[in-house]
Amino acid sequence: MLLCQGKYQEKPPLPFTPGSEISGIVREVGEGSKLEVGQKVLATPGLPEGGLSEFVVAPEESVYVVPDSMSASEAAGMFITYQTAYYALFYRSQLQKEEVLLVHAGAGGVGSAAIQLGKAKGAKVIATAGGPEKVKVCEDLGADVVVDYNKDDFVSVVKDVTNGEGANVIFDPVGADVFDRSKKCIAFDGRLLVIGFAGGRIPEVAVNHALVKNYSIVGVHWGLFAKRNPQEVRRIHDHLMDLYHKGDFRPLIYNEYPLEDVPNALEVLGERKSYGKLIAIP
């Protein structure tokens, strides 16, 4: 949406086709390719020729094989969100079994991934969401405790659930006031993961507070990590496929839309009516 509005930090030259994640069947391969015609894959085509199209050409390094048991919609909706959540939880914060993980915006794309991957690790997961429908989504994903931020204070709930100790890891894709208040319920030696700023305001930090409470503020820039460590991205993908095969997660799909209905789907997304991922079907 921000790309189409010209408000994103990257501004591809016009005209361009949006869409950064796809899945499909390989129809043709280049000479010497390791891929085979007929394989089910997901891919991250680069702009200006993005994924909202019936046929897409993608560089082989951006193509990943997925199992036949995974639906096309699940494959199209999982790569960036689950890679980001995996990198944040297991590379940047080193989440451990039985630690307490607080996931903000748990019904969103990266939030829903973080809930499921946290549970797969054996963490106790507290999630926040807005409204009863999204609270139910988080519960269905496996969250142990879900806070409706429209009516309850997550700081108080976290302190109650942890007997005053706080959350060991906080997964924050929101920023703004959510980040500010998260500092009030983080545990000693806790890790506060900066995923993004969906709340609009980029918060500022009084570092003396981090010193006194002995917690870390940890940046998560998966895109740069992926560019610098492509083989690690493939290793993460392989592990995620193992977890999927074991039933430890299922990508959260809100709805599927025909390609011609993408503008309406974007309106739904922009009005924050959805949860998980929205999928376009050519």
Side-chain angles (χ1 to χ4, degrees), residues 38-282:
Q39 282 184 308
K40 180 183 283 189
V41 298
L42 61 78
T44 54
L47 297 175
E49 297 179 3
L52 288 173
S53 179
E54 294 176 333
F55 291 87
V56 178
V57 176
E60 183 162 340
E61 60 266 22
S62 74
V63 180
Y64 302 80
V65 176
V66 298
D68 289 337
S69 59
M70 178 176 282
S71 73
S73 291
E74 288 178 329
M78 69 152 289
F79 187 74
I80 293 176
T81 50
Y82 282 83
Q83 283 271 343
T84 300
Y86 191 105
Y87 174 60
L89 295 179
F90 306 133
Y91 281 65
R92 300 296 288 143
S93 73
Q94 296 290 308
L95 178 69
Q96 301 298 309
K97 183 179 180 180
E98 298 183 355
E99 286 192 313
V100 176
L101 168 65
L102 171 62
V103 178
H104 290 301
V110 288
S112 62
I115 290 174
Q116 294 178 87
L117 294 180
K119 289 302 298 178
K121 182 68 175 179
K124 181 170 186 175
V125 178
I126 304 171
T128 68
E133 181 183 20
K134 293 184 178 181
V135 166
K136 179 65 163 53
V137 167
C138 294
E139 291 172 344
D140 291 344
L141 290 170
D144 298 284
V145 178
V146 186
V147 183
D148 184 345
Y149 59 69
N150 289 333
K151 62 179 184 179
D152 295 316
D153 174 27
F154 72 82
V155 174
S156 299
V157 174
V158 171
K159 288 183 176 179
D160 287 343
V161 169
T162 62
N163 296 317
E165 292 295 318
N168 303 105
V169 175
I170 300 179
F171 186 95
D172 179 21
V174 181
D177 293 345
V178 168
F179 179 90
D180 295 338
R181 293 195 56 71
S182 292
K183 295 183 295 181
K184 298 180 179 295
C185 62
I186 192 165
F188 181 84
D189 273 344
R191 291 85 79 199
L192 205 172
L193 294 165
V194 180
I195 311 296
F197 308 104
R201 177 175 63 85
I202 297 176
E204 296 183 358
V205 180
V207 293
N208 64 313
H209 189 262
L211 184 153
V212 170
K213 291 195 69 174
N214 207 63
Y215 64 88
S216 303
I217 298 166
V218 184
V220 179
H221 188 174
W222 174 81
L224 183 57
F225 164 78
K227 289 179 181 178
R228 295 170 66 97
N229 302 279
Q231 292 307 311
E232 280 297 293
V233 173
R234 290 206 172 270
R235 194 194 72 78
I236 292 172
H237 176 74
D238 291 342
H239 190 207
L240 285 170
M241 293 304 95
D242 290 340
L243 293 174
Y244 178 87
H245 182 71
K246 291 192 296 183
D248 285 337
F249 78 88
R250 286 290 183 273
L252 179 62
I253 306 298
Y254 173 74
N255 204 354
E256 298 171 336
Y257 298 83
L259 195 58
E260 59 269 20
D261 204 27
V262 164
N264 291 331
L266 290 174
E267 291 290 341
V268 172
L269 186 65
E271 293 172 4
R272 300 182 69 181
K273 296 177 180 177
S274 64
Y275 50 80
K277 301 299 285 284
L278 285 65
I279 306 297
I281 307 292

